[in-house]
Amino acid sequence: MYDVIIIGGGPAGLTAATYLRRAEKTALVLEKNAFGGQITWSPRVENFPGFVSVSGTELGDKLLEQAMEQGAEVELDEAEAIEAIDGAFRVRCVSGESFDGRSVILATGARPRLLGVENEEALVGSGVSFCAVCDGAFYKGRRVAVCGGGNSALQDAVLLSDSCEHVTLIHRRDSFRGEVKLVETLREKENVDFMLNASVTALLGEDELRAVRVEQDGAEKEIAVDGLFVAVGHEPDHSAFASWLELDKAGYAASGENCLTKTPGLFVAGDCRSKGVRQLTTAVADGAVAALAACRWIDGQ
Ligand code: NAP
């Protein structure tokens, strides 16, 4: 029986593990994909205090190293259900393993939102990507489009413009949610075009993407591209555990300031939590808050 099982090994989950170990609680972190979470997709992080500039993978590795150095246990396994057992929790994983904990911290983060156009999922890996850091190199010297207006889309466009022949940035409004500095960097690039007030309405190509159809100001245009990078935000990734949670209108898990959900002993931290600002800094802050609240919960039992 662990003191706390943390579901999700991103910045929130790994920070929670470090804080729990500092408080001498046993902690297991379950991660289904890659430790470090979404940040591993960011080529360069320049707003994490104390790091002038660091790659997302390096930061993720450091967070993992720090949690393990403190004695946290980690497993690459996907949690698929939580059950109540005798005043504690059992977490079942897809591998068939299960782990028991006095308390659980859900730090499952968020997953990329789809555009919702036909063939989008079928073309993933054949022209459609959600990760420029992971897949950008496949499009070296080719023409690509990026869809979205947040920091992810802007960062993706900057990264791709360094190696691709041409980048079209397609955004549904005429102003950006992401940082002005990134927009300025893109405006200075000769191989970047902006398509504003524009929406991708179709993906063209059978086995491989060859073009996107875009609606702009009531007119439709075809843009020939080899790759489309979809960066239109994220959705919370906790549907397997929704029955334990109260969700807000957007589907994020509601909690108090102390990250406690409606279920005693079950806490939530990071991007899957209902809150105003989803950033690395707020994810690690949640991790610390949830861990200390879980310690108080366990000590009070
Ligand atoms: P985001 O900030 O939520 O931006 C999503 C963008 O996609 C918005 O511009 C939105 O348009 C657009 N969008 C949403 N649904 C759409 C749809 N169905 N069709 C077309 N466009 C759609 O998401 P994000 O860029 O992934 O960033 C998530 C968080 O991580 C943000 O807080 C961001 O600042 C942070 N982040 C930080 C870094 C870093 O280096 N520190 C890097 C990346 C991301 P509207 O603007 O019109 O709503």
Side-chain angles (χ1 to χ4, degrees), residues 1 84-89 101-103 264-265 297 301:
M1 170 81 72
I85 48 151
D86 227 358
F89 299 93
R102 292 183 173 85
S103 172
W297 156 261
Q301 286 299 292

Side-chain angles (χ1 to χ4, degrees), residues 41-45 150-160 182 186:
W41 296 358
S42 268
R44 206 123 290 282
V45 177
N151 275 334
S152 299
L154 299 176
Q155 275 198 345
D156 285 358
V158 171
L159 179 78
L160 293 163
L182 287 169
L186 286 168

Side-chain angles (χ1 to χ4, degrees), residues 36 63 73 80-81 109-110 126 134 157 190 199 219 224 234 248 274 279 283 285 294:
L63 290 166
E73 291 182 38
E80 60 177 356
S126 302
C134 324
E190 283 183 1
S199 305
H234 294 82
D248 69 12
S274 179
Q279 286 282 304

Side-chain angles (χ1 to χ4, degrees), residues 143-146 166-170 193-196 198-205 209-216 219-228:
R143 299 179 72 84
V144 298
V146 175
H166 188 267
V167 179
T168 306
L169 180 61
I170 302 165
D193 274 344
F194 288 50
M195 279 191 88
L196 303 179
S199 305
V200 174
T201 54
L203 306 180
L204 309 175
L209 183 74
R210 61 171 177 80
V212 291
R213 187 173 298 142
V214 180
E215 191 199 315
Q216 188 182 36
E220 290 220 319
K221 286 182 195 166
E222 263 184 44
I223 318 281
V225 288
D226 301 305
L228 171 68

Side-chain angles (χ1 to χ4, degrees), residues 74-157:
V74 300
E75 287 278 341
L76 260 184
D77 206 343
E78 180 173 353
E80 60 177 356
I82 298 176
E83 293 166 10
I85 48 151
D86 227 358
F89 299 93
R90 176 159 294 159
V91 178
R92 293 200 179 280
C93 293
V94 291
S95 66
E97 285 258 40
S98 59
F99 302 95
D100 296 345
R102 292 183 173 85
S103 172
V104 169
I105 297 177
L106 277 181
T108 48
R111 58 169 175 254
R113 181 180 290 134
L114 299 175
L115 286 171
V117 290
E118 213 175 313
N119 278 339
E120 187 175 6
E121 285 182 83
L123 286 171
V124 171
S126 302
V128 173
S129 170
F130 297 92
C131 178
V133 177
C134 324
D135 301 333
F138 300 128
Y139 297 91
K140 190 173 175 187
R142 298 164 81 186
R143 299 179 72 84
V144 298
V146 175
C147 186
N151 275 334
S152 299
L154 299 176
Q155 275 198 345
D156 285 358

